[in-house]
Structures are given as C-alpha cells and as structure tokens.
Amino acid sequence: MGKVLIGILGLVIGAAMGIFLVAPVMTGAAAGVGIATGLSAGICATVQAAQEEQLLTPEQIDQVLNRAAADMAELSGEAAPEEMVGGVNDCAEVMERLRSAG
C-alpha cells in the first residue's frame, strides 16, 4: 500500500510541476513561433503585392528588407533574427510553406 501512495504522490507532484513550470515555457515558445510565422507571412504578402504592382524591383525589395532587419537589430541591440525574411527568395519559400500547411 505504501508503494502505491508514493506512486500517486509522485504523479500528483509531477503533474503540478508540469502545469506550473513546463506549460508556461512551452506556451511562450509556441507564441514566438506563431509571431515569427505571422510576421513573415505579412511581410511576404506585402512584398509580393509591391512586386506585382511593379512598385519595387526584386533588388529594391531585398534592399528594403535588409534595411528593416538592420534597423530592428539596432533597436533591440541584438543580431537580426535568423527566422526573419531576408529577401524575395525567402518570401517564395515562406508562402509555399503556408500553402502546403493550409
């Protein structure tokens, strides 16, 4: 009987730790991925629209995206994030991933 109580107590303690310690970390990581994906999708939709309307050339789009990444890095004091869109080619990949996921 004592082994069963110890097992149940361990299960309860483990569940409580999972709820209060692990869940917030996982939620934060998932939110970060969602934000990066949404931001990339918005950037790519805008870039493609500008290109289709012949407002910007692919070279100009690359220049604007690089400048935006550099400005954000300067504001945050960190290096530009790797998961951000860096050019027209990256946008094609991002949009294809979104199409295949949907």
Side-chain angles (χ1 to χ4, degrees):
M1 189 68 163
K3 292 179 183 179
V4 172
L5 289 176
I6 291 173
I8 292 173
L9 183 63
L11 179 66
V12 170
I13 291 172
M17 289 178 63
I19 290 170
F20 295 110
L21 297 177
V22 176
V25 171
M26 290 175 56
T27 302
V33 169
I35 290 168
T37 301
L39 185 57
S40 294
I43 290 169
C44 288
T46 303
V47 162
Q48 284 184 343
Q51 193 172 9
E52 288 171 5
E53 292 294 325
Q54 299 176 350
L55 299 173
L56 296 172
T57 65
E59 294 80 22
Q60 290 171 321
I61 290 171
D62 288 344
Q63 181 181 356
V64 168
L65 291 176
N66 288 330
R67 178 55 186 252
D71 289 348
M72 289 303 294
E74 183 180 320
L75 285 174
S76 67
E78 299 177 7
E82 293 294 322
E83 60 272 355
M84 291 300 299
V85 176
V88 175
N89 294 334
D90 292 343
C91 276
E93 293 172 14
V94 168
M95 296 309 275
E96 186 56 39
R97 279 194 310 240
L98 288 174
R99 281 188 199 97
S100 65

